[in-house]
Each structure stands twice: as structure tokens, then as C-alpha cells.
Amino acid sequence: MGRGKLRIYLGAAPGVGKTYAMLSEGHRRAERGTDLVVGFVEHHGRRRTEVMMAGLEEVPRRELEYRGGTFTEMDVDAVLARRPGVALVDELAHTNVPGSRNAKRWQDVEELLKAGIDVVSTVNIQHLESLGDVVESITGVRQRETLPDEVVRRADQIELVDMSPQALRRRMAHGNIYASDKVDAALSNYFRPGNLTALRELALLWTADRVDEYLQQYRDEHSIRSTWQARERIVVGLTGGPEGRTLIRRASRMAAKGSGSEILAVYIARSDGLTSASPKELAVQRTLVEDLGGTFHHVIGEDIPGALLEFARGVNATQIVLGSSRRKAWQYVFGPGVGATVARDSGPDLDVHIVTHEEVAKGRGLPVARGARLGRARLIAGWLVGIAGPALLTLVLTGTGATLTADAGPGFANEVLLFLFLNVLAALLGGMLPALASAAVGSLLLNYYFTPPTHTWTIADPENIVAIVIFVAVAVSVASVVDLAARRTHQAARLRAESEVLSFLAGSVLRGETSLEALLERVRETFGMDTVALLEREGDVAPWTCAGSVGGTAGATPPERPEDADVDMPVGDHMALALSGRVLPAEDRRVLAAFAAQAAVVLDRQRLVGEAERARGLAEGNRIRTALLAAVSHDLRTPLAAIKAAVSSLRADDVAWSAEDEAELLAGIEDGADRLDHLVGNLLDMSRLQTGTVAPLIREIDLDEVVPMALVGVPESDVTLEIPEDLPMVEVDPGLLERSVANIVENAVKYSPRDRPVLVSASALGERVELRVADRGPGVPDAAKDRIFEPFQRYGDAPRGSGVGLGLAVARGFVETMGGSLAAEDTPGGGMTMVLTLRAAPGSPAHDPHGTTERQAVR
């Protein structure tokens, strides 16, 4: 029996309608006669979803005992025994109750698929493993329930269930997703418009990439090489010249005209060492294309037009943007140029745009880094001119091959000059060896065909002997001069290219702008290598490691030791730059040594910057402590003065105090001491937070064990406590949480009217537990909500002597140390609400509004 097919409904957030769409698909298949069952669908009290389950066969669930409660999960054995054609299984990323057959529901689904059962399931974009960090940065919540991306990617069908953030929030406000008592908290936290918009974009982009994968897979399976213009992809061909910036900006404007267009800038270098492009200019162009949302690619290839077209077709590009040639008019004698060749060979599936710029026909600003190294084509041409040229010239001068006398030709002197011209041309094209061969062949032909007596190897006239000797000498001299000029030109070209590289390195040193990763990538591109790594070790026998915590390599698989690399450049006694890909010629090692030295300098600079940051942090801590002492001098002096006055009054011999007076004075002393204790405690806590010495001892605990302890000392009439008994446990440091809650409640009581008690309530939202402290005071403007959490900040109407403004700062510091968050919101009807968000303990049975940790308890 074959493997079953998996269809997934993907959503951006809970409530978009994934389960509803899955049940609708179930009804459609059932009406067509498909044998279909509901393996597990949780309606979460949503009436419309519950109605959709009617009429569908549901496999009984399996009951499990966990921590004193009874929970239900999908009975995999029952579904396998029933062997339906299709099973509906909701919440693919769900974590099963301990004791289940599998730890994750996607593993249950995998068993069904292996048994040949088709499965229709649902999942939210935030539960993909690769997007965990991205979702956390957007929502502030770490998704504990995730599944590998590959599980979703292997699905036979993925359908996106999309809904605008505004429509989803309206559905939430109407009570169609969560219970009414959780709507306000959800709208002000996870379901904020910004969060929903970002999650929606993630879902759309992920789905679009999956579609691209399907398309590329289909093209590969059917060997389709032509471009399918399903999505605009614009390839920008760069030469490293100054016109590259114009091309990139022009491509960006073209991409902006169509939604979803991509820009891919590509620079193609030859594989023979240093490239002809300016590294500095290429770095600028790389930064520009990345700033405009594109990507930069470096490709090695001998045939520039062919490599460019191969790259474009490989990425399924639809357009190519090239600049008008910088060649001068006479240079077109040597060929049509890259632009014309690409336009000619692109075919009907690729549009080629030739963009004019200010550098047109000005010539190339940099010499080819290969200098005058003669390519294969020139060498072949040199040998042809040197060997075949004299033979053809002889054939022409002798007519059709008939023997002519010397007097019938143009004259011996002119014939020598013609052969000398071919010799010079062979030297220009092929260098020394073709020129020498041309001189030898030419001298023999002159002797045999044009020196009397002809058709013999003897020379009758001594003057002709001198002429031939001079011809050979001149030919050898010209060949030597041309070869020397070629070598000098090559050296000059190399030196100029090296000077560009060294100038770039010197500039980066002065500006301090090059990171180690960027520098190693520049080494890889400059020398055409596969991988580059900066290795270091502590001693002579210690193992080699990549230098720096990050960025010490460039390329796929860097060498682990200098001995494993094709090229290694020592930097001091315990550091080396290792390159893999090919062996470099000796003349390239000078520039490589400069790169290696610069890499060591960059590494040292990075480490110095890190040390400077740590020193700056210590200095900031000292500054804060100094400011703290200066700020609290008055608040320390005030209770001390009251205590001293009361003690002095009690010790006075000239006054007889009544019992009531003594009690009042003693109460004043106690109140002043309490204020001092609270103030000193906050000062010590703030100092610990600033120096990073707070080490929370995290453990699982119930809120109702901590919050009442934090309210000791607060009059019962000032606080109303509402904490449900069925809340999940939280992962906190009980001592730090108690201190945080005490500071928050104290601040709320301070501003709330006497006849309006502060409300302390708690609720569970997915993998989080929220504790809300709401007062009915004057509230705080939105612009000031963040400032109230800074040290020494008190709202404008705070009564004198009410503190130094450290309570909320300490509370937020402690909460964030425990992995939670503390934020301020407006209380409906007036006032301010402090929202303290904590992590729920893993495995705690709780109602999860996000659709992955919800479990139906059997009452």
C-alpha cells in the first residue's frame, strides 16, 4: 500500500479559519462518497466550528491521566483500526499529553500517512521551527510548540487561509475566537495590528517560496530550461565599474513596478586569480543592492556571456539589465562585446535591457588583472600567423606556384619587409615563441624561393646573405622587445590591481568599517577561492580553531587546519589565513599577506571593541550609582530626621509624655524605619540589576502562592484579588516575583482613590500567564508610559516623599530577568493597568487560545 497524501491548511494566526476550512473540505469529500473520519478536531467553544462537525464521523478519543486531571488525545490505534480513506487531524504542531503514543501530533499523522491514510490538517506559521526566533522578535512570545519545517514542506498540498488583520480583530471583538473575558487581553497583546500584519507577511512569503520550490522541482523533473515568467526576477550584470550603481538603481525602479519582483546582482570573475574589478567599488555595489532589498552573487566563469545567461536561467530570471559597453569604437574589431552577445543568445524567454550611463565609450578604467597574459585564442592566432603566414605570403608572391625570377617579383628588399611584418604581427599576437618560429620559417622561405639561385639552399649573392641575417636578427629583436613589453604590461596591470586592493585595505583600516566576515568574503572573491578561514590556536600544540566567536570563515566548508588548505598564510606564531579552492601563484601571495595582516588587525579591533563595551558598561554602572546616591540623599534624610526627632523627644527629661503620645512617637519611628528599609531594598535591587548580578532561581510555582505574600502590609480594603484556581503554574523565581508584585501594587495603591480598590487579576493566554494590576488613578499619557519604568522617574502628581521612582524600574528588571515582561496600559474607564507576563510551566494543562496547547479535560 502506498503512502497517504497530506494536505495542510496554513494560517498566519489563530482564528483565521483553518479548522473551518478543513471541516468544509471534509464535508465536500464526504458528499463525494469518500470514507472520511474526524481523528481529532477541537472547536474550542466556537459555535460555528462546532456546527461544522455535525454529520462527520468522529473516532472516539483516548483519555489520559496527567497531574490529577483527565485529558483527551487522538487515538491513533483506533484510527488505524478504522482505516478510513481520509482523516481530519487538527493542530499539527500540538504536543501530546505525557504518556501518549507519540510526543507530537505530527508524529501521529506520520503513522497514518505510512499506513496509506490521507490526512488533512492545520498549522499556524508561528509554529514552524525555523521561524521561532522571528516570531519571538515580533510578538515577544517564544513558541514552545513547534514542528520541523520539513514536515510541512513534504505536504502534497499547502493551502493558505488568509485574512486581513482588521477582519481578524473584528472577529475577535465579536467573540468568535476567544471567550469574552479574554478578548481585551488578546487584542492588546498578541492580536495587535502590527503583530498580525507581520505574521501575515511571514505566511505569504513562506507560501510563495514553497510555490517556487514546487515550480523549480517540476522544471527539473521535466528538464525545462526556458524561463517561465511566473515571477519577475531581474538579474543585473556588474563589471565592477562605476556604472554598476546606475544599473542597480534602474533595476530597482523596474522591480518596484511589479509586486514580488526580485533583484539579483551578479559579478562574474575569471578563475585566474585577481579580478579586474575594484574591490572597493564592488563592496559599495553589494551594499547598495542589499539596501534595495536585492541579493549579490559572485560567479566564477571563463565565458562571461555564457556564465551570465546560465546564471539567469538557473534562477528562472525574466529580465537582464546590462550597461552600454565602455569599449572605445576601435575595440569592437575584437568582438561584439558582452551586451550584444547576451542579447543575441538570450532567446525569447529573457528580456535584455541595455542601460546607458556616463561611462559609455570611455574605455575600461582598470586593466584586466591578468595583464597581458595571452589567452589560448591569441596564442593560436600567433602561431598561425608565424607559421602559416609566411607560407601564404610565399604563395601569393609566387603567383599560383609557378617559379618566377627575382626580377619578376616586388624585389628582394620588399619581400624581406613583408616577411618582417608577419614576424612582428606574430610577436604581437603570440609572443616570443611564435615570433622566433616565424623568423626561422621566413628565412628559409626567403632563401629557397626568393634568393638566386631559387629552389636551392645556396645563396649566390653575399648581399642577400647579409639581408637574411639582418632579417633574422631584426625578427628576434622585435620578438624580444614585444615579449618584454607584454611582460612589463602584465606586471603593471598586476601592480595596479594590487594597488587598488591595498588602497581598499588601507582605507578600511582608517575608517574602521570592515568586519572580519566581510573581509574574508573579500579575500574569497578577490582570489576566486571556495572557502577562507582565519584560524588561531593558544599554543604550539593546541588545536586550531576559527578566530572570533562569529565571522571567522567565508564559504561552505572551511579548512580545520592550515595543512588541510590549498594555500595558507601565517600571521604571527599562532594565527593563519587558510584558503581552499586552488593553488595561488607566488606573485599573489604578496596581496594575500596584506589581507592576512588586515584580518588579524580586524580581529584585534573586534576584541578591543568588546572590551571597550564591557568597560563602558562598568563606567555606566558607576555613573548610575553616583547619580543614585545624589538623587536619594533627600529621601534618606527625611525619614532619618523624623526618627531622630521622635527619639530625641522620647529621651527628653523636661517633658512628661502621655501613653498616647509615646505610642504616636514610636509609630512614627516604626514608619520611618519601614520607609528606610523599603528605600534601601530598592537601592540594593537597582544596583544588582545594573551590575548584572541578579541570578534568578527558576522553579515552577502557582501564582496564588506568591501574590498573597506580596500583598502583606497593604490594607485589605485597598486591593481586590481575583486569581483563578485552575491557572497553570509559572516558571519564576518566587522571591523576585514577590518583590516585583509588591512594588507594582504599592505604586497602584499610591495613585488609586481610597474608595476605588486596586484590582489584581490573572489569566492564561496560551503559553503565557498574565497578572494584571489595575488602578483607577489619573493614568499616564502614552508618551510617558515607557519613562515610568526608568530609574528615578515619578509621575508629575506624585506626592512629595512618596519615593525616588525606583519601584517600577526594579519590578521590570526582575521580571525581565525571569524571562517575562512588564508593560503599562490604560484601564478602561480611567486609570492605569500594569500587565506582568510570565512563562507558563511546560506541560501545565491549560486552555491555549492559540490552538496548539488546548486540551479538553474530562470533567
Side-chain angles (χ1 to χ4, degrees):
M1 180 177 294
R3 179 181 173 87
K5 296 185 180 297
L6 175 62
R7 177 170 183 165
I8 293 178
Y9 287 94
L10 177 67
V16 297
K18 303 180 302 300
T19 303
Y20 191 92
M22 179 183 68
L23 292 172
S24 298
E25 175 66 17
H27 279 285
R28 284 192 295 270
R29 297 197 182 194
E31 291 171 358
R32 293 196 299 263
T34 303
D35 183 14
L36 180 143
V37 299
V38 175
F40 187 98
V41 173
E42 187 63 73
H43 58 75
H44 305 309
R46 300 166 189 166
R47 184 175 57 84
R48 295 184 179 180
T49 305
E50 187 176 2
V51 170
M52 288 295 296
M53 294 179 63
L56 297 176
E57 178 186 349
E58 186 172 1
V59 176
R61 303 180 184 181
R62 180 186 179 192
E63 296 183 0
L64 295 167
E65 299 289 338
Y66 181 66
R67 290 190 175 182
T70 303
F71 304 92
T72 60
E73 296 288 1
M74 180 174 68
D75 193 335
V76 180
D77 292 328
V79 177
L80 292 174
R82 171 65 175 75
R83 299 198 65 80
V86 179
L88 305 183
V89 182
D90 203 7
E91 301 172 0
L92 189 60
H94 171 77
T95 299
N96 294 328
V97 173
S100 300
R101 180 188 184 101
N102 296 302
K104 292 284 190 176
R105 183 163 293 162
W106 66 264
Q107 296 171 326
D108 296 340
V109 169
E110 188 67 22
E111 289 195 36
L112 300 182
L113 294 173
K114 290 180 179 179
I117 301 174
D118 294 346
V119 176
V120 183
S121 188
T122 65
V123 71
N124 281 330
I125 192 67
Q126 64 264 32
H127 298 299
L128 297 182
E129 182 66 41
S130 65
L131 299 178
D133 295 338
V134 179
V135 172
E136 183 178 10
S137 67
I138 294 172
T139 64
V141 178
R142 181 67 180 180
Q143 298 293 330
R144 294 182 178 274
E145 296 208 330
T146 60
L147 77 164
D149 291 39
E150 187 60 26
V151 174
V152 183
R153 289 184 181 276
R154 286 202 308 263
D156 298 277
Q157 297 181 55
I158 300 176
E159 183 171 334
L160 179 65
V161 182
D162 188 32
M163 178 175 288
S164 68
Q166 295 77 12
L168 184 57
R169 285 174 58 85
R170 284 196 300 271
R171 178 180 288 186
M172 172 71 71
H174 293 159
N176 295 331
I177 302 177
Y178 294 162
S180 58
D181 59 335
K182 297 182 178 180
V183 169
D184 291 339
L187 290 175
S188 59
N189 288 277
Y190 194 88
F191 284 81
R192 292 193 296 269
N195 288 4
L196 297 178
T197 301
L199 292 173
R200 185 188 188 196
E201 182 178 9
L202 274 180
L204 290 170
L205 291 175
W206 194 92
T207 307
D209 289 340
R210 183 62 180 133
V211 172
D212 280 345
E213 292 177 11
Y214 279 131
L215 179 60
Q216 189 61 44
Q217 179 181 351
Y218 180 86
R219 286 165 52 85
D220 293 341
E221 291 175 353
H222 294 77
S223 301
I224 299 174
R225 298 295 299 166
S226 60
T227 300
W228 284 6
Q229 300 184 4
R231 185 177 186 179
E232 289 292 339
R233 287 186 176 87
I234 304 174
V235 171
V236 185
L238 301 178
T239 65
E243 77 281 0
R245 306 183 204 181
T246 302
L247 303 183
I248 293 171
R249 294 189 180 97
R250 182 69 181 90
S252 177
R253 292 195 297 271
M254 294 168 58
K257 296 178 181 179
S259 178
S261 299
E262 294 182 31
I263 303 175
L264 301 92
V266 57
Y267 171 71
I268 301 176
R270 299 185 186 274
S271 60
D272 54 0
L274 294 172
T275 64
S276 62
S278 165
K280 180 179 179 181
E281 183 63 31
L282 275 180
V284 171
Q285 293 174 15
R286 176 195 288 269
T287 302
L288 176 60
V289 72
E290 291 175 351
D291 289 343
L292 293 175
T295 56
F296 184 91
H297 303 267
H298 185 277
V299 176
I300 304 296
E302 295 297 334
D303 180 14
I304 302 298
L308 180 59
L309 288 171
E310 183 180 357
F311 174 83
R313 292 193 174 99
V315 298
N316 199 27
T318 58
Q319 302 180 59
I320 298 178
V321 176
L322 299 172
S324 296
S325 179
R326 286 183 288 158
R327 287 182 171 191
K328 294 184 180 296
W330 63 268
Q331 292 178 309
Y332 283 97
V333 175
F334 301 103
V338 174
T341 305
V342 170
R344 182 192 64 202
D345 299 339
S346 61
D349 54 348
L350 270 174
D351 296 335
V352 180
H353 302 267
I354 305 297
V355 179
T356 59
H357 50 84
E358 296 180 352
E359 305 297 322
V360 174
K362 291 185 177 180
R364 300 182 65 87
L366 286 174
V368 178
R370 295 182 303 146
R373 287 179 181 174
L374 304 177
R376 179 179 298 178
R378 287 190 61 180
L379 286 173
I380 293 175
W383 281 103
L384 286 176
V385 172
I387 302 298
L392 291 175
L393 179 60
T394 301
L395 185 63
V396 171
L397 291 178
T398 58
T400 60
T403 303
L404 298 176
T405 63
D407 294 336
F412 187 72
N414 292 328
E415 292 166 349
V416 170
L417 290 177
L418 290 174
F419 276 92
L420 186 60
F421 169 75
L422 290 178
N423 180 263
V424 173
L425 186 60
L428 290 173
L429 291 176
M432 172 72 79
L433 292 180
L436 293 178
S438 177
V441 173
S443 63
L444 292 175
L445 292 175
L446 281 172
N447 181 8
Y448 191 81
Y449 286 100
F450 303 101
T451 305
T454 59
H455 299 107
T456 63
W457 297 109
T458 60
I459 302 175
D461 191 349
E463 292 182 358
N464 292 338
I465 297 177
V466 174
I468 291 178
V469 170
I470 293 176
F471 165 77
V472 174
V474 171
V476 172
S477 301
V478 169
S480 301
V481 170
V482 170
D483 183 69
L484 179 62
R487 286 189 283 110
R488 291 288 186 265
T489 302
H490 165 60
Q491 292 173 0
R494 285 194 58 84
L495 291 174
R496 183 171 180 178
E498 290 179 7
S499 66
E500 289 284 350
V501 175
L502 296 176
S503 174
F504 168 75
L505 289 177
S508 65
V509 172
L510 295 176
R511 293 186 300 271
E513 62 183 19
T514 303
S515 66
L516 182 59
E517 182 179 9
L519 181 64
L520 295 182
E521 182 64 24
R522 174 62 53 212
V523 174
R524 191 183 70 82
E525 293 182 354
T526 299
F527 295 97
M529 289 294 185
D530 295 333
T531 58
V532 178
L534 183 62
L535 306 176
E536 66 174 350
R537 60 181 178 181
E538 296 296 331
D540 294 335
V541 296
W544 290 94
T545 59
C546 287
S549 57
V550 294
T553 64
T557 54
E560 298 180 355
R561 300 179 305 165
E563 296 82 2
D564 299 334
D566 295 316
V567 181
D568 69 282
M569 177 60 65
V571 186
D573 296 332
H574 304 297
M575 190 177 296
L577 187 64
L579 302 86
S580 296
R582 65 189 183 89
V583 178
L584 288 180
E587 57 266 24
D588 287 344
R589 295 185 66 87
R590 177 171 53 187
V591 178
L592 182 61
F595 270 113
Q598 173 65 1
V601 170
V602 170
L603 180 62
D604 290 340
R605 184 189 298 118
Q606 287 183 350
R607 290 172 174 171
L608 290 174
V609 168
E611 294 178 1
E613 288 293 335
R614 289 190 291 271
R616 190 177 297 111
L618 294 175
E620 180 67 13
N622 291 332
R623 185 193 65 79
I624 290 178
R625 283 193 289 272
T626 302
L628 184 148
L629 293 176
V632 303
S633 59
H634 172 81
D635 296 274
L636 285 171
R637 189 179 296 112
T638 300
L640 283 174
I643 293 173
K644 180 174 176 57
V647 172
S648 299
S649 299
L650 289 173
R651 295 186 62 186
D653 297 332
D654 55 345
V655 179
W657 301 100
S658 64
E660 293 79 4
D661 292 336
E662 288 184 357
E664 183 177 354
L665 291 172
L666 290 173
I669 294 173
E670 184 178 13
D671 181 65
D674 290 339
R675 289 174 58 190
L676 277 178
D677 178 69
H678 181 71
L679 179 60
V680 171
N682 276 338
L683 291 175
L684 292 175
D685 291 339
M686 198 67 221
S687 177
R688 291 165 59 202
L689 287 170
Q690 293 293 340
T691 56
T693 56
V694 177
L697 301 176
I698 303 297
R699 65 184 182 88
E700 297 182 4
I701 194 170
D702 289 319
L703 276 182
D704 55 9
E705 296 182 27
V706 179
V707 176
M709 298 296 297
L711 302 183
V712 174
V714 180
E716 293 185 5
S717 60
D718 290 346
V719 179
T720 300
L721 186 60
E722 295 182 359
I723 298 182
E725 295 181 357
D726 58 350
L727 276 180
M729 303 177 74
V730 293
E731 290 184 327
V732 296
D733 182 317
L736 297 183
L737 178 60
E738 179 183 336
R739 189 60 179 271
S740 302
V741 175
N743 284 355
I744 296 171
V745 172
E746 179 188 2
N747 183 79
V749 170
K750 185 188 306 178
Y751 290 104
S752 191
R754 293 296 181 186
D755 59 340
R756 306 291 298 275
V758 173
L759 175 61
V760 180
S761 61
S763 60
L765 285 175
E767 299 173 354
R768 300 173 296 160
V769 174
E770 286 189 350
L771 182 68
R772 290 174 166 264
V773 180
D775 65 58
R776 295 294 181 178
V780 175
D782 291 339
K785 281 187 171 64
D786 287 333
R787 292 201 303 270
I788 62 176
F789 294 103
E790 297 177 2
F792 317 120
Q793 297 293 323
R794 292 184 294 187
Y795 191 50
D797 62 351
R800 188 61 181 166
S802 62
V804 295
L806 287 175
L808 293 181
V810 170
R812 171 176 273 189
F814 281 168
V815 171
E816 291 179 348
T817 301
M818 295 184 291
S821 63
L822 179 62
E825 298 178 356
D826 292 329
T827 301
M832 184 172 67
T833 299
M834 290 291 175
V835 183
L836 194 157
T837 305
L838 302 170
R839 295 196 306 262
S844 296
H847 182 70
D848 183 359
H850 296 276
T852 61
T853 59
E854 294 170 303
R855 300 184 177 94
Q856 180 65 38
V858 178
R859 301 296 183 186

